[in-house]
């Protein structure tokens, strides 16, 4: 036992000093139960050393619940007839952006299901209107063609989020009927080529997912040179084919996130909403285990309940002011401070 414990301690030290681990070493850390706290505090030290004590807030606007895809885990999948579908109007989105500015937010994240609520010209117009404000802009709108991504970059979008979800190709194919793993990778590469700050990430706890494949996910994030990584625990949604899969994945998601911080010390890592859903202090714990970003939901309140990827999402009845205030107070409560810049990645 002592020998084993020492080995794990050595691995954590190695990751903290050299930011590099083999696949077997990552697996050992994922399986370990003796030193989780040490792992989390090491990730916290690396976070402090490389990205400091500031927390970047990104105002999240969930502008549409319409989706053409059928991801097995997601409540917005097109076959979920129970889901209420909406698409905000451009003026409504810009109203949310104004509120975000008044609240001092320096990044807007436009997220929606994969759809054609706006055509390319409308999206370009929207991006340009948003960029008239003093804000960075992140898009999270799924798989598009090279020329569409290019049009959005030229219009002024700064960042793009598109999770790989899992790097296990067989599992990916099962979870995403009609979608192509290779195209997903191609999208991530295209976004990087177009100089978007590129965010990806994964779900932790999908049925059939192994620690080996979680280790592959972490090493993939590093190999592709992502600027942001969002890790979310899978949460079972009763209106999806995965309704009976147990969704208790908080601890494992936190470990995946912490190891990601150790291996990618200078990237941006959000404390995800899904973490908050599984644990009342989930985002706070994540902020103390390697995360440095929070994405308060500033969507027009009456619509929030319809953007139901999974049940139990927090803050669905709050105003933007309330959600942002809560995040600011949480940040202060752990002696961190809210950043007043755009929060681009600073490479070391
Ligand atoms: N549990 C957790 N996260 C989910 N997402 C979709 N459905 C779920 C779920 N049931 C995540 C996906 C997607 C992001 C927008 O939401 O990882 O990339
Ligand atoms: Fe659509 Fe995204 Fe949900 Fe998949 S995860 S069904 S692409 S909203």
């Amino acid at each position: 036992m002592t020998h084993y414990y020492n080995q794990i301690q050595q691995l954590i030290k190695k990751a903290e000093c050299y930011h590099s681990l083999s696949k077997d070493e990552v697996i050992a850390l994922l399986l370990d139960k003796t030193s989780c706290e040490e792992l989390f505090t090491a990730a916290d030290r690396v976070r402090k050393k490389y990205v400091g004590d500031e927390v970047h807030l990104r105002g999240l606007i969930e502008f549409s619940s319409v989706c053409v895809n059928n991801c097995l885990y997601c409540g917005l999948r097109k076959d979920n007839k129970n889901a209420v579908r909406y698409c905000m109007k451009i003026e409504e989105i810009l109203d949310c952006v104004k509120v975000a500015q008044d609240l001092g937010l320096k990044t807007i994240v436009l997220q929606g299901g994969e759809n054609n609520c706006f055509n390319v010209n409308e999206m370009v117009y929207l991006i340009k209107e948003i960029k008239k404000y003093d804000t960075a802009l992140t898009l999270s709108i799924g798989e598009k063609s090279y020329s569409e991504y290019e049009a959005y970059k030229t219009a002024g979008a700064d960042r793009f989020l598109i999770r790989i979800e899992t790097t296990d190709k067989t599992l990916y194919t099962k979870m995403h009927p009609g979608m192509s793993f290779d195209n997903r990778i191609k999208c991530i590469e295209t976004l990087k080529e177009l100089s978007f700050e590129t965010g990806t990430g994964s779900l932790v706890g999908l049925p059939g997912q192994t620690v080996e494949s979680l280790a592959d996910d972490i090493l993939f994030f590093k190999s592709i040179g992502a600027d942001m990584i969002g890790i979310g625990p899978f949460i079972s949604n009763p209106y999806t084919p995965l309704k009976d899969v147990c969704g208790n994945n908080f601890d494992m998601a936190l470990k995946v996130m912490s190891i990601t911080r150790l291996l990618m010390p200078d990237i941006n890592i959000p404390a995800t909403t899904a973490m908050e859903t599984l644990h009342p202090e989930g985002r706070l714990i994540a902020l103390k285990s390697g995360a440095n970003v929070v994405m308060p939901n500033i969507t027009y309140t009456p619509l929030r309940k319809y953007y139901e990827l999974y049940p139990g999402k927090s803050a669905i009845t709050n105003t933007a002011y309330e959600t942002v205030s809560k995040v600011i107070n949480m940040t202060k409560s752990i002696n961190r401070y809210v950043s007043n810049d755009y929060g681009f990645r600073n490479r070391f």
Side-chain angles (χ1 to χ4, degrees):
M1 183 65 188
T2 333
H3 177 62
Y4 169 77
Y5 178 76
N6 287 339
Q7 263 182 341
I8 295 294
Q9 294 300 313
Q10 283 310 112
L11 282 186
I12 295 173
K13 255 192 212 137
K14 178 181 169 189
E16 182 170 355
C17 292
Y18 301 108
H19 314 301
S20 169
L21 290 174
S22 70
K23 180 172 171 184
D24 284 344
E25 290 169 335
V26 174
I27 292 172
L29 285 184
L30 290 173
L31 289 173
D32 172 66
K33 297 224 179 333
T34 66
S35 309
C36 298
E37 279 311 315
E38 285 90 335
L39 172 66
F40 301 148
T41 50
D44 195 44
R45 282 193 298 272
V46 169
R47 182 273 310 154
K48 188 177 173 74
K49 182 170 165 194
Y50 284 84
V51 295
D53 279 337
E54 53 184 352
V55 173
H56 300 286
L57 304 194
R58 322 287 202 201
L60 176 66
I61 304 175
E62 299 164 332
F63 73 94
S64 173
S65 65
V66 179
C67 190
V68 298
N69 287 333
N70 233 344
C71 309
L72 255 52
Y73 44 79
C74 178
L76 300 188
R77 64 196 307 273
K78 74 162 184 261
D79 284 356
N80 179 10
K81 302 291 179 248
N82 190 61
V84 177
R85 310 292 176 171
Y86 67 86
C87 192
M88 288 172 73
K89 295 199 177 72
I90 288 190
E91 301 71 47
E92 293 170 333
I93 296 172
L94 292 174
D95 282 344
C96 288
V97 175
K98 276 186 211 116
V99 172
Q101 286 282 293
D102 292 344
L103 293 171
L105 300 180
K106 292 287 188 183
T107 293
I108 293 294
V109 181
L110 270 190
Q111 185 174 85
E114 232 172 271
N115 61 48
N116 296 315
C117 280
F118 300 128
N119 64 30
V120 180
N121 289 339
E122 289 164 337
M123 197 66 188
V124 163
Y125 171 78
L126 174 61
I127 291 168
K128 286 184 176 165
E129 287 300 304
I130 294 177
K131 288 299 288 183
K132 287 182 181 165
Y133 292 87
D134 178 25
T135 184
L137 174 61
T138 307
L139 301 179
S140 178
I141 54 175
E143 296 180 21
K144 307 286 175 195
S145 66
Y146 186 99
S147 60
E148 208 169 318
Y149 284 149
E150 191 179 32
Y152 301 154
K153 185 75 182 67
T154 309
D158 303 284
R159 309 185 185 121
F160 204 104
L161 303 176
I162 182 164
R163 289 183 177 175
I164 188 66
E165 313 293 0
T166 173
T167 54
D168 176 336
K169 192 169 175 174
T170 311
L171 181 61
Y172 184 94
T173 308
K174 258 190 220 155
M175 291 292 122
H176 304 97
M179 293 172 73
S180 147
F181 180 78
D182 293 339
N183 193 53
R184 194 76 167 185
I185 300 271
K186 200 174 114 204
C187 286
I188 298 172
E189 286 170 350
T190 300
L191 291 163
K192 283 193 59 81
E193 196 185 316
L194 289 168
S195 303
F196 277 100
E197 267 208 351
T198 305
T200 186
S202 60
L203 281 168
V204 175
L206 293 171
Q209 200 174 30
T210 60
V211 279
E212 285 78 9
S213 96
L214 292 175
D216 283 334
D217 295 351
I218 296 170
L219 296 176
F220 166 79
F221 302 153
K222 195 169 164 72
S223 73
I224 200 143
D227 301 300
M228 311 170 274
I229 294 293
I231 315 272
F234 158 71
I235 300 168
S236 182
N237 185 319
Y239 298 102
T240 66
L242 303 188
K243 61 180 186 305
D244 297 322
V245 177
C246 166
N248 195 7
N249 308 296
F250 181 78
D251 294 345
M252 191 53 104
L254 200 62
K255 280 173 116 177
V256 172
M257 191 200 81
S258 294
I259 298 170
T260 302
R261 168 59 75 200
L262 290 176
L263 299 192
M264 304 180 75
D266 62 5
I267 64 165
N268 286 319
I269 300 185
T272 56
T273 317
M275 287 189 174
E276 185 88 345
T277 303
L278 286 189
H279 190 298
E281 299 209 304
R283 285 188 299 189
L284 186 92
I285 295 168
L287 282 177
K288 296 202 288 184
S289 308
N292 69 320
V293 170
V294 182
M295 296 165 62
N297 191 342
I298 56 159
T299 311
Y300 179 54
T301 309
L303 292 177
R304 289 189 199 185
K305 61 176 176 296
Y306 302 127
Y307 198 82
E308 198 172 20
L309 307 167
Y310 47 79
K313 204 175 80 167
S314 66
I316 56 168
T317 56
N318 296 116
T319 62
Y321 173 79
E322 287 164 348
T323 47
V324 172
S325 304
K326 194 174 158 198
V327 171
I328 293 173
N329 290 336
M330 174 174 75
T331 302
K332 288 182 180 158
S333 77
I334 50 172
N335 296 321
R336 305 264 284 276
Y337 63 94
V338 173
S339 169
N340 55 19
D341 73 25
Y342 304 105
F344 286 100
R345 177 186 186 185
N346 280 320
R347 282 173 191 275
F348 256 71

